[in-house]
Amino acid sequence: MTPQPPVGTVGATPQPPVGTVGATPQPPAGTVGATPQPPVNSVDRALRLARLLVERHRLRVHEAADALGLAPSTVHRLLTALVAHGFATRDRHHVYAVGPFLRGLAVPAPASPDLTHVAHPHLVALSRLTRETVHLVMLEGNGVRFVDGVEGGQTIRVASRTGIVLPAHLTSGGKVLLAELSAAELAGLYPRGLPLRAGAAGPDIGELRRELGNVRRRGYAVNAEETEQGVNALGACVHGPDGAALAAVVVAAPSQRVSRRALSDLAPAVLAAAARISDELS
């Protein structure tokens, strides 16, 4: 029998090690000639999801799953993590929005043309009925943006605030929208407590939670000179077809004419206007 020399001895067919001359080189990932492998880890998925949230402002699980090509269970898990770390918020209708740590990257979402178009005639009618200034406001992070307004017809009146942003926890419209959030979502908006504007009094987070409980029970919120001395306001929530909070209708009046105690007299008219807008959007 012809003996077979051991591999590596004279007479054996040498096997060149990988990377030496004669071996088929295997280019490392990321070099020329390598086949790029798209990242598929959880960090990449979370970043893609966060970017989508910044771009769209509001998302449901199935919408994100469809856009990213991921399983709904995976998207739900990632969104839960984003909420836990303040990168997203979730309302009681399971709609996710940009959280406080992403808010600086997000382009403010414009008010829906349908919403402002539908709401404006009701704002005009409410202003004529109350003879006070009326606004439509939307939640923007932990603030509220005044997206439309109609000034009252009286000589002494509150000026239009359209276009400005005020702290949600100090405004009547902001409070009624915050009352729609879960405890976790509310905490996500205020990871370092409540910011206060110079010269304005405001509640601590515990007091705010108690006040929001009262708001949920009566259906409206009040602002008694919390954002500006001499101005009182009352707000009620506008809901979309799916029941999600979209905006708030607010009546603002000089405190010398409408005292804190008299604010509740405005509630039926404000609640009715908000309900009519909600019905028209359905």
Side-chain angles (χ1 to χ4, degrees):
M1 182 175 66
T2 305
Q4 301 297 317
V7 175
T9 64
V10 177
T13 302
Q15 303 297 317
V18 174
T20 63
V21 176
T24 302
Q26 303 297 318
T31 63
V32 175
T35 302
Q37 299 299 316
V40 293
N41 56 45
S42 294
V43 173
D44 174 72
R45 290 169 174 169
L47 290 174
R48 290 165 59 206
L49 181 56
R51 185 172 66 182
L52 185 67
L53 195 58
V54 168
E55 292 171 350
R56 297 196 182 180
H57 303 286
R58 292 168 65 84
L59 281 173
R60 293 182 181 275
V61 169
H62 70 87
E63 294 170 340
D66 290 344
L68 300 177
L70 299 174
S73 59
T74 299
V75 171
H76 183 266
R77 184 174 68 251
L78 293 173
L79 284 169
T80 299
L82 291 179
V83 170
H85 292 282
F87 291 97
T89 62
R90 191 189 76 173
D91 64 23
R92 64 177 65 183
H93 302 286
H94 305 289
V95 176
Y96 293 83
V98 173
F101 293 126
L102 283 180
R103 198 172 305 116
L105 302 177
V107 177
S112 164
D114 289 339
L115 173 59
T116 53
H117 177 75
V118 168
H120 189 78
H122 297 283
L123 304 185
V124 172
L126 182 60
S127 180
R128 288 175 178 168
L129 177 65
T130 62
R131 303 187 67 209
E132 304 293 356
T133 297
V134 178
H135 286 103
L136 183 74
V137 305
M138 297 180 71
L139 196 63
E140 189 172 295
N142 59 14
V144 284
R145 182 174 294 276
F146 290 66
V147 297
D148 195 11
V150 178
E151 287 195 7
Q154 304 194 63
T155 303
I156 299 176
R157 61 181 181 269
V158 176
S160 172
R161 305 296 199 255
T162 302
I164 72 168
V165 177
L166 291 177
H169 69 286
L170 297 179
T171 63
S172 60
K175 291 175 193 176
V176 81
L177 292 170
L178 292 177
E180 296 279 321
L181 303 179
S182 68
E185 289 159 353
L186 182 66
L189 290 179
Y190 302 102
R192 296 179 180 85
L194 300 183
L196 300 180
R197 297 178 68 235
D204 61 26
I205 191 69
E207 184 181 344
L208 177 62
R209 289 194 186 99
R210 290 188 291 274
E211 183 174 3
L212 296 182
N214 291 331
V215 169
R216 283 188 286 271
R217 283 189 290 274
R218 69 188 177 214
Y220 65 86
V222 299
N223 166 7
E225 301 185 271
E226 293 172 70
T227 53
E228 185 178 339
Q229 292 295 317
V231 175
N232 287 336
L234 182 144
C237 192
V238 173
H239 295 90
D242 60 355
L246 295 180
V249 174
V250 175
V251 170
S255 58
Q256 66 185 42
R257 182 163 61 241
V258 180
S259 66
R260 177 169 186 161
R261 179 172 296 180
L263 273 175
S264 60
D265 295 339
L266 295 172
V270 178
L271 287 166
R276 283 191 291 268
I277 297 170
S278 299
D279 289 344
E280 197 167 333
L281 290 169
S282 300

